[in-house]
């Protein structure tokens, strides 16, 4: 084998052309967060139901069920969302409650 053949084929007599493979990439799913509503003794139940309907698109039946759960157990899940959506919903609920002078609290936690 000549030096030319070795340089072109890497010493195997080939053409020097190899198979390029693209590394397989897996897209990670975004982390999910639970939006939680906390019970208090001052916010009217009707306001909580309205808030659940407005910001979490719940039917009146689902909103009432979640409101009663919050009232009886102290905390309830309003929904599960990506971080940015959960953060936005928490802020919307708190702002809405403050505008109506209610101490309603809403928070989020990683699922």
């Amino acid at each position: 084998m000549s030096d030319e053949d070795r340089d072109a084929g890497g010493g195997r007599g080939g053409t020097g052309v190899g198979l390029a493979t693209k590394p397989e990439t897996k897209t990670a799913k975004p982390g999910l967060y639970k939006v939680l509503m906390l019970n208090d003794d001052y916010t009217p139940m009707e306001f909580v139901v309205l808030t659940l309907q407005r910001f979490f698109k719940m039917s009146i039946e689902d909103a009432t069920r979640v409101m009663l759960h919050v009232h009886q157990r102290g905390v309830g899940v309003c929904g599960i969302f990506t971080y940015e959506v959960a953060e936005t919903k928490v802020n919307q609920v708190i702002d809405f409650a403050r505008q109506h002078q209610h101490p309603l609290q809403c928070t989020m936690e990683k699922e």
Side-chain angles (χ1 to χ4, degrees):
M1 185 183 292
S2 71
D3 285 18
E4 241 180 359
D5 289 338
R6 249 184 243 111
D7 290 342
R12 297 185 201 160
T15 61
V17 178
L19 179 63
T21 59
K22 187 175 182 180
E24 188 175 321
T25 57
K26 290 186 180 180
T27 306
K29 291 185 179 180
L32 296 177
Y33 291 78
K34 291 188 276 188
V35 175
L36 304 172
M37 190 168 284
L38 308 176
N39 187 45
D40 65 70
D41 294 331
Y42 304 100
T43 305
M45 292 180 178
E46 296 81 13
F47 183 80
V48 174
V49 170
L50 173 68
T51 302
L52 290 166
Q53 288 179 289
R54 179 179 234 176
F55 298 106
F56 299 96
K57 308 294 185 226
M58 290 186 190
S59 67
I60 191 156
E61 294 83 12
D62 288 340
T64 301
R65 183 180 45 77
V66 171
M67 176 276 298
L68 288 171
H69 182 88
V70 170
H71 180 70
Q72 293 167 353
R73 302 204 178 167
V75 65
V77 177
C78 302
I80 300 172
F81 308 94
T82 60
Y83 179 84
E84 292 81 8
V85 173
E87 183 178 44
T88 299
K89 290 196 178 285
V90 166
N91 290 330
Q92 287 174 329
V93 168
I94 292 172
D95 290 346
F96 185 62
R98 297 303 166 269
Q99 289 170 2
H100 291 84
Q101 300 176 348
H102 295 300
L104 183 63
Q105 288 293 312
C106 193
T107 188
M108 59 190 250
E109 71 178 30
K110 189 149 178 67
E111 173 149 74

